[in-house]
Amino acid sequence: EAGVVQSPRYKIIEKKQPVAFWCNPISGHNTLYWYRQNLGQGPELLIRYENEEAVDDSQLPKDRFSAERLKGVDSTLKIQPAELGDSAVYLCASSMATGWYEQYFGPGTRLTVT
Amino acid sequence: DAKTTQPTSMDCAEGRAANLPCNHSTISGNEYVYWYRQIHSQGPQYIIHGLKNNETNEMASLIITEDRKSSTLILPHATLRDTAVYYCIVRVAGSGGGADGLTFGKGTHLIIQP
C-alpha cells in the first residue's frame, strides 16, 4: 500500500517569493492534515480537511497561507509571500474519517527561506 | 487536550528493553494515550494507543497506571533503528475525536547505543 506522498521534498526560496506544497493521501482516507514542524519542536496542526471541507483552520495564518483540497483527494498548501520565519518542515497526514484510526504521515517538505 | 511531560532524552543499550515514561496528570476520563515516534528526516509514525488497560502490539507495549496519570512505552528489544523522538499524546475520545489533529510536545529523544 502506498503511503502519503509529498512533493517537493526540499525547497529553497528567497523571502517574498511564493511557494506551494503538494500532498497525495492514502487512497480512501477522507481526512487530511497539514502540520508545520519547526526545528527541535513537535509538529503543529495548520489545517484539517474532511473530504473537500476545511473543518479546522484555526491555526492557519490566513494572511499569507492558503490551502485547498479539490475533489477531496490531493491537497495543496501555499505560502505567499514567504517570510524567513516560515522555514520549517511541512508535513501532510491522512486518516480514515471515523473511529480511532491513526494518522499516517508523509516524509514532509523541508522549506528554507533565505 | 491534556498536556504531557516527557524526559528530553534517554539512552538505551541495543538489545535491552527501552522504557519511556510519560506524565499526564490532568488527563480526562475520555482521553486516550497515544504514542508516535519520528525517525530523523521522516514523518511521525503511529506506535500504539490505549485508554486504561495495558496494550501490546508488534511494535511495543503500553502500560498505563491505574490512576491514568502516567504511562510507560516499552520497546522490548531495542535496535539501532529505534533511535528516534518519541511523542506521548493524549487526545479526546468520542464522536469526531479520533479524526482531530494531534497536539505534539517536544517528545523524548531515545538514542540506542550499540
Side-chain angles (χ1 to χ4, degrees), chain A residues 33 35 37 48 99-100 102-103, chain B residues 36 38 44 46 94 98-100 102:
Chain A
Y33 311 79
Y35 290 83
Q37 185 171 25
R48 171 168 68 97
W100 317 127
E102 60 264 34
Q103 295 181 21
Chain B
Y36 280 73
Q38 187 172 23
Y46 166 83
D100 289 348
L102 298 168

Side-chain angles (χ1 to χ4, degrees), chain B residues 26-104:
Chain B
T26 61
I27 191 170
S28 300
N30 63 350
E31 289 181 317
Y32 283 68
V33 180
Y34 280 72
W35 284 83
Y36 280 73
R37 74 178 182 183
Q38 187 172 23
I39 296 170
H40 183 63
S41 296
Q42 297 183 20
Q45 174 192 24
Y46 166 83
I47 301 173
I48 198 168
H49 74 279
L51 182 62
K52 56 178 71 173
N53 298 320
N54 298 337
E55 302 288 345
T56 296
N57 63 20
E58 65 278 4
M59 290 183 67
S61 295
L62 173 60
I63 308 298
I64 302 174
T65 58
E66 190 170 348
D67 63 7
R68 302 208 325 122
K69 292 184 177 182
S70 66
S71 60
T72 300
L73 178 74
I74 301 173
L75 307 179
H77 305 287
T79 70
L80 298 179
R81 289 175 293 181
D82 292 322
T83 293
V85 177
Y86 287 77
Y87 297 100
C88 171
I89 300 165
V90 294
R91 58 194 304 222
V92 176
S95 178
D100 289 348
L102 298 168
T103 301
F104 290 85

Side-chain angles (χ1 to χ4, degrees), chain A residues 1-111:
Chain A
E1 177 184 282
V4 176
V5 179
Q6 291 189 247
S7 68
R9 289 295 314 276
Y10 304 91
K11 189 74 175 179
I12 301 174
I13 61 171
E14 295 182 346
K15 61 182 181 182
K16 301 184 181 180
Q17 295 300 306
V19 64
F21 315 122
W22 176 79
C23 173
N24 178 241
I26 292 173
S27 178
H29 282 194
N30 297 326
T31 306
L32 183 145
Y33 311 79
W34 283 102
Y35 290 83
R36 177 171 60 187
Q37 185 171 25
N38 292 314
L39 189 64
Q41 306 293 318
E44 297 175 311
L45 180 69
L46 291 175
I47 190 169
R48 171 168 68 97
Y49 281 92
E50 296 287 350
N51 298 305
E52 305 89 356
E53 182 182 1
V55 296
D56 182 2
D57 63 355
S58 57
Q59 301 303 312
L60 189 71
K62 297 181 181 62
D63 56 337
R64 297 181 300 107
F65 286 66
S66 64
E68 61 182 11
R69 192 184 183 197
L70 301 176
K71 301 181 181 179
V73 181
D74 295 359
S75 178
T76 302
L77 178 68
K78 298 178 181 178
I79 308 175
Q80 182 171 11
E83 298 179 351
L84 295 177
D86 296 331
S87 294
V89 175
Y90 291 83
L91 293 158
C92 178
S94 69
S95 71
M96 299 292 285
T98 58
W100 317 127
Y101 298 103
E102 60 264 34
Q103 295 181 21
Y104 294 85
F105 285 78
T109 297
R110 181 176 297 277
L111 174 67

